[in-house]
Amino acid sequence: MNPDNAVRTSFKQQMLQAREEAIIQTANRLLAEKGFEAMTVDEVALQAGIAKASLYKHFASKEELAAAATARVMRRARDFIRALPEQAPPLDKLRAVLRWTLEVKLAGDMPSLPSRNSTLRTALIGNQDCMEGWMEVSDRLRAWIEAAQAAGALNPALPAVAVLYTFFARACDPALEFLRIGGRYQDEQIVTLVLSTCFEGLNAR
Amino acid sequence: MNPDNAVRTSFKQQMLQAREEAIIQTANRLLAEKGFEAMTVDEVALQAGIAKASLYKHFASKEELAAAATARVMRRARDFIRALPEQAPPLDKLRAVLRWTLEVKLAGDMPSLPSRNSTLRTALIGNQDCMEGWMEVSDRLRAWIEAAQAAGALNPALPAVAVLYTFFARACDPALEFLRIGGRYQDEQIVTLVLSTCFEGLNAR
DNA sequence: GTCTATATCCCGATAGAC
DNA sequence: GTCTATCGGGATATAGAC
């Protein structure tokens, strides 16, 4: 096997992977924009500059495509979490993760998936990348939550899992869109507001 | 015109209105269960025990049907708000409204409408009942929010509109479903947890 | 107004040539 | 693997009899 062959193969594979990444990015944006049900495979293919039949060579179904997009954002979250300084206070890290989440959502990059659709749930659970990312993210956040509670920074009366779910729920909080549509606040202010209401609550202190 | 005629007409109209209410209730439940896109008119008609063509005599489109369901829940919210004792502390009333909202959601009676679908948005804005209910609810809540802030009960640093949107957002908070699926908490505990995280925040006090 | 039956369209998925 | 062209199913909406 001559080297040219190897080079050409590698190049081809790189092109393929790049195209696949482009498809996933497009799907990701459309999922964020209109949700799983309203997103059509035609639109993804069109905006990705590829024929629909070609897309189906990469992903066996619309559900698998959405799962790939979900796995991607899970990987991004995992990487962000891993990159946080180990010795920082847990509460700071949790705030940083929530800030990151809100910024991704405001950037239009947070896929919004219905928790009700059963076929999609199956695809998400069946996707190993997706599940692994989710589990690592959950485990690390839960550990930080419990550490923050032990340190007296987070309310220890709340079950850790409830805090965790509260974080996840903020990833699809429509309050951000409401505030943006209102037009009175910049994205940075919106993030600060939601961070504040989430951690400090609505009550006066 | 003899009285019998009037009675019969009134009776017929009552029957019609009752049937229409049944249709809206069914749509409301399905909207809560699976959302606007996944809900089908066939299913609404089937579960309401009516032919689809008959349903379309009452509502010109799927969007108008969803708008009617939305108007209904808006009316219910308005009635609940009106019935609260005028002299109660604003914060108590706000907590009562949020509690009512969460209980309605847990009961499967809170229609979940995508904020992105443009045709649905048009129908909602075009529905006078829907808009009137929304405006009255918003106005009353905003007044209570500002009063609570003036009384030092709610954080005065938060814009009242941000607090308002936070309330509305809780009406479609997936954290409730997550907690229920987890199976470790009863509905009453879930309501208490979300109320606490919303008003007192996640931080220790 | 209610029904059965149907029109019409759109979408997910595939066939088959290249 | 990519394309054009198409299938098959299901959804919204309507026709027309009663």
Side-chain angles (χ1 to χ4, degrees):
Chain A
M1 182 186 287
N2 70 53
D4 273 8
N5 244 339
V7 167
R8 201 158 57 237
T9 303
S10 167
F11 179 73
K12 270 192 184 175
Q13 286 185 346
Q14 277 189 12
M15 291 302 293
L16 263 184
Q17 201 173 345
R19 190 181 293 250
E20 201 163 299
E21 173 65 16
I23 297 172
I24 296 179
Q25 273 191 16
T26 306
N28 191 74
R29 189 165 34 79
L30 287 173
L31 282 174
E33 202 174 301
K34 38 177 60 172
F36 178 75
E37 319 276 355
M39 177 188 79
T40 68
V41 179
D42 289 81
E43 207 175 355
V44 176
L46 182 73
Q47 294 196 16
I50 197 178
K52 182 164 58 168
S54 306
L55 188 152
Y56 272 99
K57 296 287 181 178
H58 293 270
F59 305 96
S61 68
K62 184 184 177 184
E63 280 78 9
E64 280 197 23
L65 176 59
T70 306
R72 179 173 172 270
V73 75
M74 280 295 174
R75 246 186 338 265
R76 289 182 61 196
R78 185 203 59 187
D79 292 345
F80 179 84
I81 287 173
R82 282 185 183 171
L84 286 173
E86 187 65 39
Q87 72 283 6
L91 183 61
D92 291 2
K93 290 189 279 196
L94 290 171
R95 287 188 78 104
V97 173
L98 184 54
R99 172 177 285 277
W100 177 86
T101 304
L102 299 176
E103 285 171 350
V104 169
K105 178 162 175 55
L106 281 174
D109 275 334
M110 184 61 71
S112 77
L113 305 166
S115 45
R116 315 168 193 72
N117 186 317
S118 60
T119 72
L120 181 54
R121 279 185 69 91
T122 310
L124 291 181
I125 293 172
N127 185 308
Q128 198 177 2
D129 283 356
C130 191
M131 284 304 286
E132 280 180 7
W134 184 79
M135 283 190 343
E136 177 170 339
V137 167
S138 293
D139 288 345
R140 287 185 183 250
L141 291 185
R142 198 184 341 254
W144 290 344
I145 289 167
E146 286 166 357
Q149 288 179 320
L154 279 189
N155 182 359
L158 295 171
V161 67
V163 179
L164 182 64
Y165 290 164
T166 302
F167 280 127
F168 281 129
R170 294 291 81 69
C172 54
D173 195 323
L176 283 83
E177 296 157 52
F178 293 160
L179 284 168
R180 175 180 269 176
I181 291 171
R184 278 190 287 216
Y185 302 99
Q186 302 299 317
D187 285 0
E188 177 54 32
Q189 294 176 288
I190 295 175
V191 170
T192 305
L193 276 173
V194 174
L195 266 173
S196 170
T197 59
C198 187
F199 282 99
E200 279 85 39
L202 300 176
N203 285 353
R205 280 179 180 258
Chain B
M1 183 184 286
N2 70 51
D4 272 8
N5 244 338
V7 167
R8 201 159 56 238
T9 303
S10 166
F11 179 72
K12 269 193 184 175
Q13 285 185 347
Q14 277 187 13
M15 289 303 291
L16 262 186
Q17 203 173 344
R19 188 180 294 250
E20 200 162 299
E21 173 65 17
I23 298 172
I24 295 178
Q25 272 190 17
T26 306
N28 191 73
R29 189 165 34 78
L30 287 173
L31 282 174
E33 201 174 303
K34 38 178 55 173
F36 177 76
E37 320 276 355
M39 176 188 81
T40 69
V41 180
D42 289 80
E43 207 175 354
V44 176
L46 182 72
Q47 294 196 14
I50 197 177
K52 182 164 57 169
S54 306
L55 188 153
Y56 272 99
K57 296 284 183 181
H58 291 270
F59 305 96
S61 67
K62 184 183 176 184
E63 280 79 9
E64 280 196 23
L65 175 58
T70 306
R72 178 173 172 271
V73 75
M74 281 294 176
R75 247 187 337 266
R76 288 182 61 196
R78 186 203 59 187
D79 293 345
F80 179 84
I81 287 172
R82 281 185 183 170
L84 287 174
E86 186 66 40
Q87 71 284 5
L91 183 61
D92 292 1
K93 290 188 280 195
L94 289 171
R95 287 188 79 104
V97 173
L98 183 54
R99 171 177 286 276
W100 177 86
T101 304
L102 298 177
E103 284 171 351
V104 170
K105 178 162 176 54
L106 279 175
D109 275 334
M110 183 61 71
S112 78
L113 305 165
S115 47
R116 317 168 192 73
N117 187 316
S118 60
T119 72
L120 181 55
R121 279 184 70 89
T122 310
L124 291 181
I125 293 173
N127 186 307
Q128 198 177 1
D129 283 355
C130 191
M131 285 304 286
E132 279 180 8
W134 185 79
M135 285 192 340
E136 178 170 339
V137 167
S138 293
D139 287 346
R140 288 187 183 249
L141 291 186
R142 198 184 343 253
W144 290 344
I145 290 167
E146 286 166 357
Q149 287 179 320
L154 279 190
N155 180 0
L158 294 171
V161 68
V163 179
L164 182 65
Y165 290 164
T166 302
F167 280 127
F168 281 129
R170 293 294 80 69
C172 54
D173 195 324
L176 282 84
E177 296 157 52
F178 293 160
L179 284 167
R180 175 179 271 179
I181 292 172
R184 276 189 288 216
Y185 302 99
Q186 302 299 317
D187 285 1
E188 177 54 30
Q189 294 176 287
I190 294 175
V191 169
T192 304
L193 275 174
V194 174
L195 266 173
S196 169
T197 59
C198 187
F199 281 99
E200 280 85 38
L202 301 176
N203 285 352
R205 281 182 179 255

